[in-house]
Amino acid sequence: VVMAAARNVMRAVRVFEFGGPEVLKLQSDVLVPVPKENQVLIKVHACGVNPVETYIRSGTYARKPALPYTPGSDVAGVIESVGEHVTAFKKGDRVFTLETLSGGYAEFAVAAANRVFPLPDQLDFRQGAAIGVPYFTAYRALFQKGCAKAGESVLVHGASGGVGLAACQIARARGLKVLGTAGTEEGMNVILRNGAHQAFNHRDPNYTEKIKACTGPGGVDIIIEMLSNVNLDTDLQLLSCAGRVMVVGCRGRIEINPRDTMSKESSIIGVSLFLATEEERRECATAVLDGIEAGWLKPVVGLEYPLEKVAKAHEDIICSSGARGKMVLLL
């Protein structure tokens, strides 16, 4: 009887109150969730860590989950069991998710079957955990909201993180001229290996002048912006006529001069994957799975942490000196 009971519990990170990284508590007696109809249970091998998870945990984000909760949306692993009416997956299938219902920082996670996708053999679980939020967000920012077209130029501001590298790979595959910024030499090299035609160090005081020299008087058509509270004012100076800044990330307020948008009829457009319709998500999924098959979609995994070090991961994703790929938790 003890054995049977022991099998029904798992290790999972739980948040009982909003606050700093220290509120992430690893517990070993959390009940393994049971998949309901149109849901699957996944044995998690790796889970991506996204900046948005730190904002939600701190309680400062627009969407607040009911406490207690387990963070994490991008998991990769193996189907353990399926609920009623699930025909697309069976026990033993390798999969990755876009989101989970029970939380991904755990040994098992339940997800809606329509948020789960097959993980091809050429990618490992660490890479699988780096696909969901970064690639769907990058595709949405570039095409669904940014209306990017082959031949246009895109500047990916903060290109060495998960979303940034995804944007570089997708934009390059779709025929755009890709410029990227990073904060370290290593980050710049990673960008260049992953689709950017040119890389710039955003710690260099003259980096915007170098971008202007590269784009010429025309400016850049699209900017994918991960840190708009720092860069938005400068971004508006770099845009072409009818250029658009896609706001993917922000950590506070910034003052801008709206006249800068008038002189070029430029746009500032917010991007939120949470607002995608079912149809838009399917379009993202198709583009992503095609990219894996074609071979240009190759997630770059950065720092890796065991579940015990989750608080450190949350600290590092906000305070680190420069990203080099997608941060993942390994189980």
Side-chain angles (χ1 to χ4, degrees):
V1 177
V2 175
M3 281 303 291
R7 276 206 301 274
N8 294 330
V9 296
M10 63 175 181
R11 294 188 314 143
V13 173
R14 301 292 279 163
V15 175
F16 293 92
E17 59 179 327
F18 296 112
E22 69 282 354
V23 303
L24 297 161
K25 305 288 186 199
L26 179 58
Q27 305 207 290
S28 53
D29 57 353
V30 179
L31 284 175
V32 174
V34 176
K36 301 189 176 80
E37 61 177 331
N38 300 315
Q39 296 176 356
V40 299
L41 178 67
I42 299 163
K43 183 173 189 348
V44 178
H45 286 254
C47 180
V49 180
N50 296 293
V52 69
E53 287 145 25
T54 70
Y55 312 150
I56 294 170
R57 181 215 68 227
S58 69
T60 59
Y61 198 63
R63 294 180 322 118
K64 280 195 184 68
L67 296 167
Y69 77 99
T70 295
S73 54
D74 308 320
V75 308
V78 174
I79 297 282
E80 180 73 16
S81 63
V82 300
E84 277 185 275
H85 311 311
V86 174
T87 54
F89 301 103
K90 62 183 187 309
K91 183 176 167 67
D93 287 351
R94 287 164 42 97
V95 293
F96 72 92
T97 68
L98 178 59
E99 56 190 61
T100 68
L101 294 163
S102 59
Y105 296 9
E107 290 178 321
F108 292 91
V110 160
N114 65 355
R115 301 287 194 277
V116 177
F117 308 95
L119 179 65
D121 290 338
Q122 66 259 40
L123 299 181
D124 62 29
F125 291 119
R126 295 154 48 253
Q127 291 174 303
I131 299 172
V133 170
Y135 282 88
F136 281 60
T137 300
Y139 183 86
R140 182 168 180 76
L142 282 162
F143 301 105
Q144 292 178 340
K145 294 292 163 190
C147 303
K149 293 179 181 62
E152 287 192 310
S153 56
V154 59
L155 169 65
V156 184
H157 225 152
S160 60
V163 177
L165 287 168
C168 288
Q169 290 178 2
I170 295 172
R172 180 66 181 252
R174 292 294 186 98
L176 281 92
K177 181 182 180 183
V178 185
L179 314 176
T181 76
T184 63
E185 196 67 38
E186 194 182 349
M188 288 165 68
N189 289 333
V190 170
I191 297 171
L192 290 169
R193 284 200 300 273
N194 284 280
H197 292 88
Q198 284 189 274
F200 303 88
N201 189 329
H202 52 63
R203 295 182 200 279
D204 172 350
N206 300 320
Y207 86 98
T208 52
E209 296 310 313
K210 291 177 179 170
I211 292 172
K212 283 177 184 166
C214 174
T215 59
V220 66
D221 298 307
I222 301 170
I223 297 176
I224 307 290
E225 184 52 74
M226 314 301 167
L227 199 60
S228 45
N229 54 300
V230 173
N231 300 322
L232 189 57
D233 188 46
T234 314
D235 289 343
L236 295 176
Q237 327 288 323
L238 295 172
L239 284 179
S240 64
C241 273
R244 45 266 186 225
V245 181
M246 312 310 300
V247 178
V248 171
C250 183
R251 296 183 190 170
R253 303 175 74 86
I254 185 171
E255 190 173 308
I256 62 165
N257 183 350
R259 186 171 283 154
D260 291 336
T261 65
M262 295 159 62
S263 59
K264 295 173 176 174
E265 291 194 326
S266 56
S267 314
I268 301 165
I269 302 170
V271 178
S272 172
L273 192 54
F274 299 118
L275 297 178
T277 64
E278 191 55 48
E279 194 183 350
E280 287 172 328
R281 263 193 300 269
R282 275 201 299 270
E283 184 195 335
C284 289
T286 303
V288 164
L289 294 169
D290 284 353
I292 297 172
E293 203 180 320
W296 57 257
L297 194 158
K298 286 204 180 78
V300 179
V301 177
L303 297 169
E304 302 172 10
Y305 299 79
L307 213 46
E308 295 76 19
K309 294 274 167 60
V310 63
K312 180 87 174 96
H314 267 225
E315 208 173 293
D316 291 351
I317 199 166
I318 295 300
C319 306
S320 76
S321 63
R324 293 175 308 282
K326 170 77 181 219
M327 184 182 283
V328 297
L329 298 172
L330 298 180
L331 287 99

